[in-house]
């Protein structure tokens, strides 16, 4: 099945009870048993729920994986991956990544004895120099949030395999429409499905997709044991959102290209971070592992000034100032004070997340209106 068909049919069978075309919302916590253990495959909705099963199959299908798991949030999905580890284990992670991921690693898991190395990953040899006998996981976000760096997944997977280390890729910014990490050798794909997969800014959810039955078993044990699962209504909304993923992503990419070029030519703008530019340092890697360059752009102004950047995001009207990204509507954000505020200033500035950085999630509105909005805000 091709990708554009998978978004609509992947994992979604016609409901056997009444022929419903959309998987019904099984709003139930429990299931009748005829005798202890005598049930139809479902016992309790923390463990399994039919609406969630349909979505989990859809997640797996989109990423060309065998097993999908749905969690209450992207953070809950990441949390399950880290719970595969034990005290003394080490993780090599991208240094430019979502602030909440950094916070989970450093504020929650370091105190349980897990060591994290945050490094630049554009050079695969650099990653290898951090591998030692305790290394158990390489955590990659690509494109990175918010600097839009690109990490070569296949080269990183070679290093992971050579040293028998797991490779997990946060595929939130790219989506499986643009990039499929399991095909490139990753062991685990993670999503904040809150973003492009859901696509309508109405659900918070996380996803994990794997191929290994052993890994699937461990993660599904953790999903049930810790219990951060997504509810049936949210699973239904996610399934509905996914049906247009391919169409939305196409338009996100088209609109972002126009916005990126507009910003690059604007006299007030200093740097524009978007992997589609030929002079982006990782443009060739992006071209080789992604179908297109996505809907996210970050930029700084020549004033390089906190207050001026705050004024710009306040003046934007269509680009609503808000946390999150990936919905049909355009959003703007100020990472230093919002999504990345939990990373110490010295740390975030090392990766380019300066006080003046503005991040745009380019939506699928009419491009003329988006450019007009930027024009008035930058005037
Ligand atoms: O918000 P949640 O669904 O729990 O997902 C966390 C997460 C994980 N990974 C990436 C790359 C993310 O961007 C996020 C969430 N990010 C935002 C809320 C944001 O505005 O960047």
């Amino acid at each position: 099945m091709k990708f554009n068909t998978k978004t609509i049919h992947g994992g979604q069978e016609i409901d056997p009870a009444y022929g419903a075309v959309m998987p019904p919302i099984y709003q139930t916590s429990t299931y009748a048993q005829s005798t202890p253990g005598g049930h139809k495959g479902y016992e309790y909705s923390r463990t399994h729920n039919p609406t969630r099963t349909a979505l989990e199959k859809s997640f797996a299908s989109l990423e060309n994986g065998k097993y999908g798991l749905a969690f209450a949030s992207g953070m809950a999905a990441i949390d399950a991956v880290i719970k595969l580890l034990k005290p003394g284990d080490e993780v090599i992670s991208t240094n430019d990544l979502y602030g909440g991921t950094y916070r989970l690693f450093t504020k929650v898991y370091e105190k349980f004895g897990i060591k994290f190395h945050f490094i630049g990953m554009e050079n695969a040899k650099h990653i290898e120099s951090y591998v030692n006998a305790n290394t158990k996981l390489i955590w990659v976000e690509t494109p990175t949030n918010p600097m839009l760096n690109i990490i070569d997944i296949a080269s990183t997977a070679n290093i992971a395999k050579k040293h028998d280390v797991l490779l997990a890729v946060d595929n939130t910014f790219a989506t499986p429409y643009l990039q499929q990490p399991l095909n490139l050798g990753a062991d685990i794909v993670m999503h904040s499905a809150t973003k492009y997969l859901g696509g309508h800014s109405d659900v918070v959810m996380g996803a994990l997709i794997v191929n290994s039955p052993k890994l699937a078993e461990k993660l599904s044990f953790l999903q049930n044991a810790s219990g951060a699962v997504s509810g049936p209504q949210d699973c239904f909304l996610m399934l509905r959102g996914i049906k247009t993923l391919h169409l939305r992503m196409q338009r996100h990419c088209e609109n972002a290209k126009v916005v990126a070029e507009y910003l690059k030519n604007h006299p007030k703008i200093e740097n524009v971070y978007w992997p589609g530019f030929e002079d982006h340092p990782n443009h060739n890697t992006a071209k080789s592992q992604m179908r297109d360059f996505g809907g996210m752009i970050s930029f700084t102004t020549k004033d390089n000034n906190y207050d001026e950047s705050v004024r710009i995001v306040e003046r934007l009207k269509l680009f609503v100032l808000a946390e999150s990204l990936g919905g049909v509507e355009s959003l703007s954000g100020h990472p230093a004070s919002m999504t990345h505020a939990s990373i110490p200033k010295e740390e975030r500035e090392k990766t380019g997340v300066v006080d003046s950085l503005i991040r745009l999630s380019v939506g699928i509105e009419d491009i003329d209106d988006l450019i007009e909005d930027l024009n008035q805000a930058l005037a």
Side-chain angles (χ1 to χ4, degrees):
M1 209 188 278
K2 298 266 176 69
F3 189 83
N4 296 355
T5 312
K6 285 181 171 180
T7 61
I8 295 160
H9 296 285
Q12 303 189 47
E13 285 142 28
I14 302 297
D15 178 53
Y18 298 109
V21 169
M22 272 305 282
I25 304 170
Y26 282 92
Q27 192 70 46
T28 185
S29 61
T30 191
Y31 307 82
Q33 306 191 10
S34 54
T35 183
H39 54 73
K40 297 176 177 171
Y42 292 90
E43 287 170 273
Y44 186 57
S45 280
R46 168 160 40 73
T47 319
H48 296 295
N49 172 284
T51 319
R52 200 175 92 211
T53 303
L55 174 62
E56 292 180 329
K57 287 184 178 166
S58 165
F59 282 153
S61 159
L62 292 176
E63 285 288 2
N64 210 18
K66 291 205 175 81
Y67 307 94
L69 295 162
F71 290 83
S73 66
M75 292 319 304
I78 302 173
D79 185 74
V81 175
I82 304 303
K83 281 183 179 143
L84 292 168
L85 309 179
K86 58 178 188 330
D89 287 349
E90 297 192 13
V91 179
I92 306 172
S93 165
T94 324
N95 58 356
D96 172 38
L97 80 173
Y98 172 55
T101 309
Y102 178 89
R103 179 176 57 196
L104 181 74
F105 290 174
T106 57
K107 298 272 166 55
V108 179
Y109 281 106
E110 272 182 359
K111 71 170 184 274
F112 290 112
I114 296 170
K115 189 168 176 186
F116 295 88
H117 303 271
F118 296 95
I119 66 163
M121 286 192 170
E122 283 95 316
N123 177 344
K125 284 230 166 69
H126 190 219
I127 304 176
E128 195 164 24
S129 70
Y130 281 83
V131 177
N132 64 41
N134 296 324
T135 311
K136 294 290 152 56
L137 174 71
I138 300 177
W139 184 268
V140 164
E141 199 178 283
T142 182
T144 61
N145 177 2
M147 296 309 295
L148 285 311
N149 291 314
I150 304 292
I151 292 144
D152 185 331
I153 297 171
S155 305
T156 311
N158 285 339
I159 292 166
K161 287 209 168 35
K162 182 173 156 196
H163 297 279
D164 200 17
V165 168
L166 286 175
L167 171 63
V169 176
D170 183 335
N171 205 26
T172 300
F173 269 35
T175 82
Y177 174 77
L178 297 179
Q179 157 180 297
Q180 297 180 320
L182 295 178
N183 290 352
L184 299 169
D187 300 292
I188 302 172
V189 174
M190 176 264 152
H191 281 276
S192 169
T194 316
K195 312 298 181 321
Y196 289 106
L197 294 186
H200 296 74
S201 305
D202 50 10
V203 182
V204 172
M205 195 183 287
L208 295 178
I209 303 100
V210 300
N211 271 325
S212 145
K214 254 190 169 161
L215 206 46
E217 196 185 322
K218 284 184 190 168
L219 290 167
S220 116
F221 169 83
L222 288 165
Q223 180 195 37
N224 181 51
S226 291
V229 294
S230 46
Q233 303 250 6
D234 283 353
C235 291
F236 174 86
L237 281 173
M238 186 58 55
L239 281 163
R240 188 165 74 165
I242 285 172
K243 285 181 190 286
T244 55
L245 176 66
H246 53 302
L247 299 174
R248 288 183 283 107
M249 287 312 294
Q250 235 173 318
R251 183 60 63 84
H252 282 296
C253 293
E254 280 167 24
N255 279 358
K257 181 175 196 293
V258 178
V259 169
E261 279 161 3
Y262 162 84
L263 290 170
K264 198 167 195 178
N265 292 317
H266 196 286
K268 280 198 178 164
I269 305 299
E270 179 77 28
N271 295 306
V272 184
Y273 303 98
W274 179 66
F277 289 133
E278 277 180 20
D279 61 357
H280 181 288
N282 324 120
H283 176 70
N284 288 336
T285 309
K287 242 167 88 176
S288 72
Q289 70 187 21
M290 296 170 76
R291 188 205 292 239
D292 205 335
F293 303 107
M296 299 299 297
I297 301 169
S298 294
F299 66 96
T300 54
T301 58
K302 287 202 171 124
D303 293 339
N304 199 20
N305 169 308
Y306 185 104
D307 294 335
E308 176 54 14
S309 290
V310 167
R311 272 195 294 277
I312 292 169
V313 292
E314 284 172 353
R315 280 196 296 257
L316 283 165
K317 294 193 175 83
L318 280 177
F319 283 88
V320 175
L321 175 61
E323 303 267 349
S324 203
L325 58 108
V328 288
E329 62 289 302
S330 294
L331 298 181
S332 63
H334 181 244
S337 64
M338 296 168 70
T339 49
H340 292 71
S342 50
I343 304 180
K345 188 173 158 77
E346 322 78 70
E347 284 303 312
R348 66 172 162 76
E349 289 196 338
K350 272 188 218 160
T351 61
V353 188
V354 293
D355 283 351
S356 66
L357 190 79
I358 292 174
R359 189 188 75 181
L360 298 179
S361 171
V362 182
I364 62 171
E365 299 93 337
D366 192 289
I367 188 61
D368 293 346
D369 292 326
L370 295 182
I371 297 293
E372 196 179 308
D373 192 30
L374 288 162
N375 242 338
Q376 64 79 22
L378 291 167

